[in-house]
Amino acid sequence: MNEEQIHRIQNIIEAALLAAAKPLSLDQLRELFGEDERPARQVMEHALSQLEQACESRSYELRKVASGYRLQIREDYARWVGRLFEEKPQRYSRALLETLALIAYRQPITRGEIEDIRGVTVSSNIIRTLMEREWVRVVGHKDVPGRPAMYATTRQFLDYFNMKSLEQLPPLSEIRDLEEIGREIEQKIQAEIPFDASGDANDDDRSASGDDDHNESISGTLH
């Protein structure tokens, strides 16, 4: 396959990623082509590599996340692009961010185990919001009386935070406590501007500022 054909495939990939409202996997990108013209996986990977290089001098980048590939605004330009949208970035309570951090690092984990570590009750609004955002899901039930649900993060969680796997989470040895993790997550949320940011602009997050334990002090750590 010559360079002109590779360039055409690259342009098709770029057009599809610009139009898509979610990441596209390599197989999904290959399905864009008819069976008689479908490029081999190695050819697609080469075209994606070429596209990544072509974006290096642009205000957007090709990023591989858990669900596949997407084009997104570079973080350096987020504060300017954010001014296009009337809605301010969502702000989440410290309690929600700490709960999300515990699920990410201790998964699978039950609500009771989260409460034991934090030393306070976890508001139902927090769990509901995390599940509505599709950042966490129930992955089973613990074999103890009451069979409480066990929570874990999702592929959408990895996508949102620009990760391909949980191995990209900061090592616990580099983080002092839950509050520090919560701050890092919040900074990431505030900086995140997807290529098409209109999808989340009007989300109604019931627990963004009204959690029962929004102002409580931190009494647990991850260690």
Side-chain angles (χ1 to χ4, degrees), residues 11-24 32 71 195-196:
N11 286 343
I12 292 170
I13 291 172
E14 183 174 11
L17 293 178
L18 286 170
K22 60 182 180 180
L24 298 176
L32 298 172
L71 289 170
F195 202 89
D196 178 5

Side-chain angles (χ1 to χ4, degrees), residues 41-117:
R41 294 180 66 87
Q42 294 87 341
V43 173
M44 292 292 289
E45 288 170 350
H46 179 62
L48 283 161
S49 177
Q50 295 283 84
L51 178 57
E52 182 178 14
Q53 293 177 29
C55 291
E56 285 181 355
S57 61
R58 297 176 183 172
S59 59
Y60 59 93
E61 62 184 345
L62 177 68
R63 178 64 70 95
K64 185 177 182 182
V65 292
S67 296
Y69 298 86
R70 70 180 176 201
L71 289 170
Q72 63 183 39
I73 300 298
R74 293 186 185 276
E75 238 177 78
D76 292 346
Y77 302 99
R79 68 186 182 100
W80 288 283
V81 175
R83 292 169 185 162
L84 291 172
F85 307 99
E86 294 182 4
E87 296 287 335
K88 297 294 183 183
Q90 294 174 343
R91 296 194 66 85
Y92 295 95
S93 72
R94 189 175 64 189
L96 182 143
L97 297 175
E98 291 174 7
T99 300
L100 178 59
L102 279 169
I103 294 172
Y105 279 95
R106 286 289 190 87
Q107 59 187 295
I109 188 171
T110 67
R111 181 170 172 174
E113 290 168 339
I114 295 170
E115 293 174 342
D116 288 343
I117 295 171

Side-chain angles (χ1 to χ4, degrees), residues 29 36 38 54 114 137 175 180 212:
L29 290 169
D36 57 336
R38 187 167 298 154
I114 295 170
R137 65 189 179 97
I175 298 174
E180 184 175 346
D212 295 339

